[in-house]
Structure formats: C-alpha cells, structure tokens
C-alpha cells in the first residue's frame, strides 16, 4: 500500500517528464492564445511577407542588381551585411500583425543572411605565422602623425603600409618609425616600412595622374614576397548621382592587372581600396587574392569610419601566403582603423 501511495503521488504532482511537458504546453498555449482560432492569421501581414521575400532576394541576387543607375549594385554590396538588421524589424512587425504567413516568410532572409555571413561570426584565428603585416590610412588631416606612427609600430608589424601620406607629414612618419624599421620607401602618397630588406621598389600606375600605389619585394627570413600598397580613389554617395565610383573601378582594374603580372608567387596587398570584398567593382583584385579577414579573422573587421565602423574598406589580401590571423587595431588620429594580419610563407616565392 505504501508503494501504491507513492506511485499515485508521483503521477499526479511529481516533477517528472509529464509535469515538465505540461508546463511547456501551458506556456505555448499562453503565448499562442490570442492567435488560436483566428482564421485571419494566414491572411494578415502580406506587406511584411512581401518585404521579407524581397529582402531575401536582394541578398541572394545582389550580384545581379545593375550598376547602370548610380552604381546601385555596388552600393548595396558595400553595406550588404547590415541588411541583416532588417530581419528583427520584420520579425517584430510579423508578431505585431499576428501573421503566421509573415513569420514563416521572415525565415527566408534569416537563412540567406546566415548562409552569406554566418561564417564570419566564428573565430577563425590561429597561432603561428612568419610575418605580421599592417596597413593604415593615416588621413591627410591627421592632427598627430607622430602618435599614429608610434601606435602602429607598437603592433609589432614586420611590414607596415601607410596611405594618404602628405609631403609635409612624411618626415614625421620617417622619424617616428626609424628605430623600428630599417628599410622604407615612399612613393607618392603611399609608403612601406619593413624590418627586412626592400628591393624592386616602383610605383604602380592606377591611371590617376599621380602615384597612389607601389610595389616592393621584401626579403624576409622565411622567403621573398611582393608587397603592393594601394589607395584607390574615394567613392561618394550623392543624392543626384547615387554611388559615384567610376574612377575607383577603373583604378581597381589597373591594380588587378599589375598583380596578375607579378612574377613572385607570394604576394600581399595592403591598402585602402575604398570597397569591400563583396563589391563586384573590385573583382579584378578580389578574384585572384584571399582576404585575411575572411580566411582567418573573427567577425567582420570593419575599419571605417573609425568612430563607428560600418564597412571594411581597408584590406589585407594574399596570394600564395597562408593567413593565420587577422584583426583590427585600436583607433589612432585617423578616421580609419589600422588592420593587421599574421601570415605564413608557404613557398619559396621565386
């Protein structure tokens, strides 16, 4: 009898699976109560549903969006990751409208965004590597060039690229970096500082009329590599013209041709490309190189503007080298964040 009494008490008021299942069922019934028995839940929220489907299509077919009018396609691709912020907005609207159709539709852009960018949410950094490389657009109006130079040198970079150098500021950077870097060269508004010997230094024609790109061979203990430093023309978003980037696009093609003709197997590109890896206008470059951030970074690595980074337009790309880690450095006196990477030389490069 005692055993029977115990069994009865457990069945009715215990904390077993049946009681737990009852609690979950009650919670579901409480949440779905206002919707139950409402035949309009499938007919409401058609506008939210349409917006969710459209958002999914824009992300899936972003490369098909034409650039004919204001370079709309490139503009969307520059800020493509931020379209994910519309998903929770649509979710809230679907809940407010009590629309089952809209809730199901919101799943579409969620899945598409995760497919495109979910991999960047994970930490892919590893240890090791032969060289640390850093690039930084120091800003021509930088109020503290000496401080900026000290900040980037403190990163421990073996090879450092600087863009947007002015003739007046170059001596300041040279003096501040002299103790850390024995070798350096400045070509026009870009420069490279290295702990290892430089050779084969020359400017790279971007069809701009003045020098904003250069190439040099770095002879490191692990092998030789070709280092390209580039600052592609700026882009503008204008109400009357859209995303104006014609000169940037043309210069990207010239840079891509120079890298394609590079005889060394190991190549690293450092610079402000004024475009993201998603931007089709940079295909001449991105189609033949890997982004260190995409291959070995953590997160999106946004670098501009420094006050609230929204896009990664400062890039480190490699060919023949293995990215081990990639990251952004703290803010300096510039409107860009410096970006860094650790890479491994995998071949002789000759």
């Amino acid at each position: 009898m005692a055993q029977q009494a115990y069994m009865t008490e457990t069945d009715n008021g215990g904390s077993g699976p049946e009681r737990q299942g009852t609690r979950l069922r009650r919670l579901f019934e409480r949440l779905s109560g206002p919707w139950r028995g409402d035949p309009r839940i499938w007919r409401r929220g058609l506008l939210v549903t349409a917006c969710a489907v459209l958002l999914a299509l824009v992300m899936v077919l972003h490369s098909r969006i034409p650039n004919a009018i204001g370079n709309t396609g490139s503009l969307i691709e520059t800020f493509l990751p931020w379209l994910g912020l519309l998903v929770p907005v649509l979710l809230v609207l679907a809940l407010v409208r009590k629309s089952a159709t809209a809730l199901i539709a919101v799943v579409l852009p969620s899945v598409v965004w995760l497919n495109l960018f979910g991999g960047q949410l994970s930490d892919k950094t590893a240890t090791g590597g032969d060289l640390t490389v850093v690039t930084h657009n120091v800003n021509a109006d930088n109020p503290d060039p000496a401080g900026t130079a000290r900040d980037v040198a403190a990163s421990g970079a073996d090879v450092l690229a600087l863009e947007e150098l002015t003739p007046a500021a170059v001596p300041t950077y040279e003096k501040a970096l002299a103790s850390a870097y024995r070798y350096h060269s400045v070509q026009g508004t870009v420069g490279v500082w290295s702990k290892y010997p430089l050779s084969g230094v020359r400017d790279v024609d971007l069809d701009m009329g003045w020098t904003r790109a250069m190439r040099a061979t770095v002879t490191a203990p692990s092998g030789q590599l070709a280092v390209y430093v580039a600052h592609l023309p700026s882009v503008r978003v204008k109400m009357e013209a859209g995303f104006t980037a014609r000169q940037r696009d043309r210069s990207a093609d010239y840079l891509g041709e120079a890298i394609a003709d590079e005889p060394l197997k190991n190549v690293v590109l450092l610079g402000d490309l004024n475009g993201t890896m998603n931007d089709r206008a940079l295909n001449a470059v991105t189609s033949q190189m890997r982004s260190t951030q995409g291959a070995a970074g953590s997160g999106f690595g946004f670098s501009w503007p420094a006050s609230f980074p929204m896009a990664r337009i400062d890039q480190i790309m490699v060919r023949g080298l293995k990215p081990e880690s990639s990251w952004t450095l703290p803010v300096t006196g510039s409107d860009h964040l410096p970006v860094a990477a650790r890479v491994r030389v995998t071949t002789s490069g000759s």
Side-chain angles (χ1 to χ4, degrees), residues 238-319:
K238 300 178 181 179
M239 293 300 295
E240 72 279 5
F243 192 61
T244 58
R246 186 173 302 173
Q247 191 176 33
R248 189 278 311 265
D249 300 350
R250 186 172 62 250
S251 294
D253 292 339
Y254 275 79
L255 178 61
E257 290 175 6
I259 293 173
D261 293 337
E262 172 57 50
L264 292 184
K265 295 181 180 178
N266 293 322
V267 183
V268 59
L269 169 61
L270 307 166
D272 173 8
L273 303 190
N274 272 305
T276 68
M277 293 296 294
N278 294 315
D279 192 339
R280 75 196 68 175
L282 301 184
N283 281 348
V285 176
T286 57
S287 63
Q288 57 180 317
M289 307 192 79
R290 299 175 68 192
S291 163
T292 59
Q293 184 66 27
S298 177
F300 291 97
F302 294 148
S303 63
W304 176 88
S307 57
F308 188 82
M310 296 184 65
R312 184 180 177 88
I313 63 175
D314 301 277
Q315 306 289 354
I316 299 177
M317 300 185 206
V318 296
R319 188 183 75 192

Side-chain angles (χ1 to χ4, degrees), residues 87-131:
V87 172
V89 174
L90 292 172
L91 177 61
V92 170
L93 291 175
L95 291 172
V96 170
R97 292 290 294 146
K98 298 179 182 178
S99 170
T101 305
L103 281 175
I104 294 173
V106 170
V107 174
L108 292 176
S110 304
V111 171
V112 171
W113 191 93
L114 288 174
N115 182 61
L116 290 174
F117 303 110
Q120 292 186 251
L121 300 179
S122 62
D123 187 351
K124 299 179 288 296
T125 59
T127 58
D130 302 310
L131 292 170

